[in-house]
Amino acid sequence: MIINGSLTIINFYLAVFFPEIGETLFSTQGIMVMLLIAYGGAMWMFLTSAPKVYTVMVSDLNIAQLFYEQILDLPIADIPLHYYYNYEQSLGASSFDPIYMGSTLHDTMPKPSDGLWYQLKKNTQLHIIGGASLGYKDCQRHVCFDHECLEALLLRVQSRRLRYKIRKENPLNFLVKDYDNRVIEMAEVNN
């Protein structure tokens, strides 16, 4: 039995009990395959542990900040790591080519740090961005594409015992009054 520097104790035991595994597992190709499997596992863990993010577009960020922090009492959340890598924003904007759109689109596209971030549920965050027009009778408008998000916000409104009125069930649209008697329209955009 000859043991040289490249043959480790583990390799020795594998070579004794499983000779064909010991030679291929610790070869250059075997190590590369193990590294790729480890990298794939790490990426899977990263993507599955990332929080779900709902985006709500609002008419006025300052009024929205008061509404979500003081009235709905949502805790401020950190920006999820996958937003730093532009993972979700690139899905929606990938059809726009900056070469054809000019520099104005690139300058006006929101950055991940723009807006407000709140923890809605345990592994669910709310990203509040500006850009919505005023709503019903010039009230503040909060627009969302996700029905589940608006249902969670409606539950939060109900638990805080705020005055609200459901205008439409599908797509969900309801009005909420804040403490300053401002009417906020929460509207689901039908896909």
Side-chain angles (χ1 to χ4, degrees), residues 111-159:
K111 295 181 256 339
S113 59
D114 289 347
L116 308 167
W117 291 86
Y118 299 104
Q119 197 70 35
L120 187 59
K121 296 182 199 172
K122 182 179 179 184
N123 201 23
T124 305
Q125 291 185 350
L126 195 59
H127 183 201
I128 309 296
I129 59 173
S133 62
L134 290 175
Y136 171 76
K137 294 186 179 177
D138 288 333
C139 61
Q140 294 296 312
R141 178 179 244 176
H142 296 205
V143 179
C144 184
F145 287 98
D146 297 296
H147 188 80
E148 296 91 22
C149 174
L150 283 182
E151 282 181 344
L153 288 173
L154 180 59
L155 285 174
R156 190 74 177 202
V157 164
Q158 292 168 341
S159 71

Side-chain angles (χ1 to χ4, degrees), residues 166-181:
I166 297 177
R167 295 179 62 215
K168 194 172 182 184
E169 290 284 335
N170 197 6
L172 186 56
N173 185 313
F174 61 95
L175 303 174
V176 180
K177 274 199 173 182
D178 66 6
Y179 297 141
D180 294 328
N181 276 332

Side-chain angles (χ1 to χ4, degrees), residues 1-4 6-26:
M1 168 173 40
I2 299 172
I3 299 178
N4 59 22
S6 66
L7 192 60
T8 64
I9 301 277
I10 296 171
N11 196 6
F12 171 73
Y13 286 119
L14 283 173
V16 169
F17 296 111
F18 305 103
E20 53 283 336
I21 292 176
E23 291 176 9
T24 58
L25 189 60
F26 291 102

Side-chain angles (χ1 to χ4, degrees), residues 49-67:
S49 68
K52 184 172 189 168
V53 176
Y54 292 121
T55 302
V56 175
M57 188 180 294
V58 299
S59 307
D60 187 326
L61 272 175
N62 294 327
I63 294 173
Q65 184 174 15
L66 293 173
F67 179 72

